[in-house]
Amino acid sequence: MTAIAYRSTRGQSPELTFDDVLLTGLAPDGGLYVPERFPRLSDETLKGLAGAPYTKAAMAVVGAFVDEAFDEASLTGMIDAAYGRFLHPAVAPLTQLGADDFMMELHHGPTLAFKDVAMQLLGQMFPARLKARGRRMTIVAATSGDTGGAAVDAMAGQPGVNICVLHPEGRISEVQRRFMTTVAADNVHNIAVKGNFDDCQALVKAMFADDDFRDAVQLGAVNSINWARIVAQTVYYVTTSLTLSRGGAPVHYCVPTGNFGDIFAGYVAKQMGAPVGHLIVATNENDILDRALRTGDYKPDGVRATQSPSMDIQVSSNFERLLYLASDEDAEAVRSMMTALKSGQGFAIPDALGQSIRGDFSSYRSDEGATGEMMARTLKDTGELIDPHTAVGLVAAAGARADGLEGPLVTLSTAHPAKFPDAVEAATGVRPTLPPRVRDLYGRKEVMLAAPNDLGTVSGLIREAFAP
Ligand SMILES: *Cc1c(COP(=O)(O)O)cnc(C)c1O
C-alpha cells in the first residue's frame, strides 16, 4: 500500500508525509494535518491483537500511519524504548469499577499523566528523524502543568533535541514543577516566567513569529496538535476495546477532555475498525465542548481555574480535525468557522454536521462540587483513589448510564492522584502518595531560570542556552 498523505484541515497547504508532519506543527494555512484516509485493521489483524502485548498493538497501529522513513526494525526499537519506561507492563491497564464499568489507567508513565504515552514515543521519533536529516531542534513549550513534565522527561538526554519549557511562576503544582526541574540533563531548561499561562503561551507564539530566532535555534513544538501524538494515543483504544468487546460488540469510552486530542484518538481507532462505540466528552466547568455538542453553538467563554487544571482551556484545538472529517473534508466550511472563532464570536455548527458528530459523540459536564463528591464516592465504593480529572470522567460516565447507555464503558484515568494531592485530600481526607519509583521527587535538586514576562529576556536566555 502506498504511504498515507496528510492534508491540512484548511485545505490550502501542500500534502505532507508522516515524517514531515512529525516535525511540523501547524500547517502553513493555520490548519491541522489529518490523513487522507484511515488505514483499516483487518479482522484477522484485530483478532491477532486481542490480548497481545501493548507494544505489538502499537506496531500495528502506529505502523499503519508512518511512511518508509520508519522501517519495521527502527519502529520496533522506538516503541520498545518508549513503553519500556512505563511502570506497568500493560502500559494502559484496566481496572473494573462495576459490572460493566471500567477505568483505563493511563498514568503509569514517568510523569504520572496520560501525556507520557504520546510524548515518550515522540522522544524516540524526534532524535531519530532529526539525525537522518542532519538537523537539530529546540523545542520551546509553554505549560500549565502536565505537558511540560511529560515533554521534558521524554526529551532529556536525546541527541539533537533541546527543550525549554516556560511555566507561570508559582502557578503550577509542586509535583508538576518538580517533574520538569529535577531532570539533570544538559539539553533541558526551564524558565519560571513572572506571569500567567497565557503570558507564557504568548511568549512562545511571539518566538515562532520571529523568523530570525526561529532559524537561529531551529525552533520546534510538541503541542497537542502533533499528529504523531494522536496516533500514539489511538493504540490504547484498540487494545482495550479488543479486550472488552463481546463478539465484536462496541465498547464505549468516556474521556476527560481539554484539547480534544485524547478523545479524537478514540475516533481514529473506530475509523480503523476497532470495536469502539460511543465517545463521551467529559468536561469540567470549562464546558465549551459540552455546550457545542448540546446546542450547536461553539462559543468561547473565558477560562475558569478548576481542580482539574489540565482541562482548563478556552478552545479545543483538535476539534477542528473532527469538524473537517465529519463535514466530508469541507475545508472551506472549516476556514469560515475558524475565522469566526478567531474574531472571538464563535460559530454555529451546521445542523447536518452536528447530527453527524452526535452519531459518535455525546458530552457531560461536571462542576467542582460533583467532581469532589465523585472522588469521595469512588474511594468509598471501590477503594480506588482517583485524581480530579478522572473524577470528571466518572461523573460523565454516571450521566451516560443514567441516560440509558448500555454495554462496556471505559473511563480514562488520565492522571495519578499524587499529581494533585491537595485536591484529592480535600475531597477524600486521604493524601495520595507517589509511586515508589518517584518517591524521592521532593528530595531532588531543582534547576530553573527565572525571567520577567519579557520577550527579549526570555528569547535571549534560550539563545544563550542553545544557539550554536
Ligand atoms: C491533557 C490532559 C487532559 C486532556 O486531554 P486532551 O487531549 O487535551 O483532551 C485530561 N487529563 C489530564 C490529566 C491531562 O493532562
Side-chain angles (χ1 to χ4, degrees):
M1 218 189 299
T2 53
I4 293 172
Y6 292 83
R7 42 176 78 135
S8 165
T9 49
R10 304 210 187 159
Q12 296 181 322
S13 299
E15 292 191 349
L16 295 183
T17 63
F18 180 88
D19 198 29
D20 290 325
V21 165
L22 173 70
L23 299 173
T24 315
L26 278 180
D29 60 13
L32 279 65
Y33 288 106
V34 290
E36 62 179 331
R37 62 183 163 81
F38 284 104
R40 293 284 294 188
L41 298 171
S42 68
D43 288 350
E44 202 184 320
T45 304
L46 289 171
K47 217 186 251 170
L49 292 180
Y54 190 87
T55 48
K56 185 176 170 196
M59 273 305 286
V61 173
V62 181
F65 283 99
V66 299
D67 54 61
E68 58 274 10
F70 297 79
D71 58 73
E72 192 168 329
S74 64
L75 191 58
T76 305
M78 290 176 196
I79 285 172
D80 287 351
Y83 298 114
R85 300 202 54 219
F86 278 62
L87 278 173
H88 197 296
V91 181
L94 290 166
T95 302
Q96 189 159 10
L97 297 179
D100 231 354
D101 294 298
F102 300 84
M103 182 163 81
M104 181 181 0
E105 295 177 4
L106 290 172
H107 50 68
H108 293 283
T111 73
L112 312 183
F114 98 94
K115 293 195 172 62
D116 287 323
V117 179
M119 213 63 91
Q120 287 293 321
L121 189 61
L122 285 195
Q124 299 297 321
M125 286 182 164
F126 274 9
R129 298 311 306 152
L130 288 167
K131 182 171 178 225
R133 292 169 172 228
R135 275 183 54 189
R136 43 191 281 289
M137 185 189 266
T138 298
I139 295 163
V140 179
T143 192
S144 57
D146 290 337
T147 307
V152 161
D153 187 279
M155 303 301 162
Q158 297 292 5
V161 184
N162 299 311
I163 180 162
C164 182
V165 180
L166 313 186
H167 72 264
E169 187 180 277
R171 297 190 194 213
I172 61 174
S173 81
E174 183 174 2
V175 189
Q176 289 178 321
R177 188 187 71 234
R178 284 183 167 274
F179 271 123
M180 302 193 290
T181 58
T182 61
V183 176
D186 290 343
N187 69 331
V188 172
H189 285 268
N190 287 281
I191 303 180
V193 176
K194 284 204 176 24
N196 58 28
F197 172 64
D198 290 336
D199 297 328
C200 295
Q201 213 164 23
L203 288 168
V204 174
K205 271 200 182 144
M207 285 183 254
F208 270 93
D210 176 346
D211 293 341
D212 271 353
F213 180 79
R214 220 170 53 203
D215 292 346
V217 304
Q218 293 283 302
L219 204 55
V222 287
N223 44 24
S224 80
I225 51 133
N226 189 302
W227 176 254
R229 281 181 65 178
I230 304 277
V231 172
Q233 291 166 15
T234 300
V235 178
Y236 47 72
Y237 289 94
V238 172
T239 57
T240 53
S241 63
L242 290 173
T243 299
L244 293 176
S245 174
R246 293 187 280 262
V251 177
H252 312 293
Y253 288 86
C254 185
V255 188
T257 293
N259 247 325
F260 205 75
D262 200 3
I263 196 165
F264 184 76
Y267 178 80
V268 173
K270 190 171 181 175
Q271 306 308 309
M272 294 179 81
V276 171
H278 222 63
L279 294 161
I280 301 160
V281 175
T283 76
N284 63 22
E285 293 180 8
N286 296 287
D287 59 354
I288 182 167
L289 284 169
D290 182 54
R291 285 182 286 115
L293 287 169
R294 286 173 189 275
T295 67
D297 279 333
Y298 191 89
K299 197 169 179 348
D301 189 20
V303 182
R304 274 194 224 180
T306 72
Q307 57 194 318
S308 47
S310 300
M311 298 154 66
D312 290 349
I313 51 103
Q314 161 109 276
V315 170
S316 300
S317 28
N318 280 292
F319 194 57
E320 180 170 343
R321 288 192 157 113
L322 181 65
L323 291 172
Y324 177 74
L325 294 171
S327 67
D328 289 324
E329 313 199 348
D330 189 344
E332 199 182 321
V334 171
R335 282 203 301 279
S336 78
M337 287 186 263
M338 292 304 138
T339 305
L341 187 61
K342 202 168 174 193
S343 75
Q345 283 176 4
F347 56 85
I349 300 172
D351 282 346
L353 177 55
Q355 235 166 36
S356 154
I357 289 173
R358 280 189 290 271
D360 290 305
F361 293 88
S362 56
S363 71
Y364 294 86
R365 165 194 197 270
S366 180
D367 62 29
E368 290 292 274
T371 301
E373 276 162 31
M374 185 53 85
M375 282 189 267
R377 176 141 62 92
T378 304
L379 181 62
K380 185 165 158 282
D381 291 352
T382 70
E384 296 289 334
L385 199 57
I386 57 167
D387 99 292
H389 301 79
T390 307
V392 170
L394 288 176
V395 169
R401 286 298 195 207
D403 285 344
L405 185 75
E406 288 178 4
L409 172 58
V410 180
T411 300
L412 276 57
S413 175
T414 50
H416 191 283
K419 243 184 147 167
F420 302 95
D422 296 338
V424 173
E425 186 175 12
T428 65
V430 178
R431 188 146 187 102
T433 51
L434 288 163
R437 188 174 66 181
V438 290
R439 205 154 277 168
D440 66 340
L441 188 67
Y442 287 97
R444 293 182 197 161
K445 184 175 176 302
E446 286 193 88
V447 181
M448 66 183 136
L449 303 165
N453 175 19
D454 174 68
L455 180 60
T457 311
V458 173
S459 59
L461 286 174
I462 295 173
R463 258 183 210 265
E464 216 173 282
F466 297 134

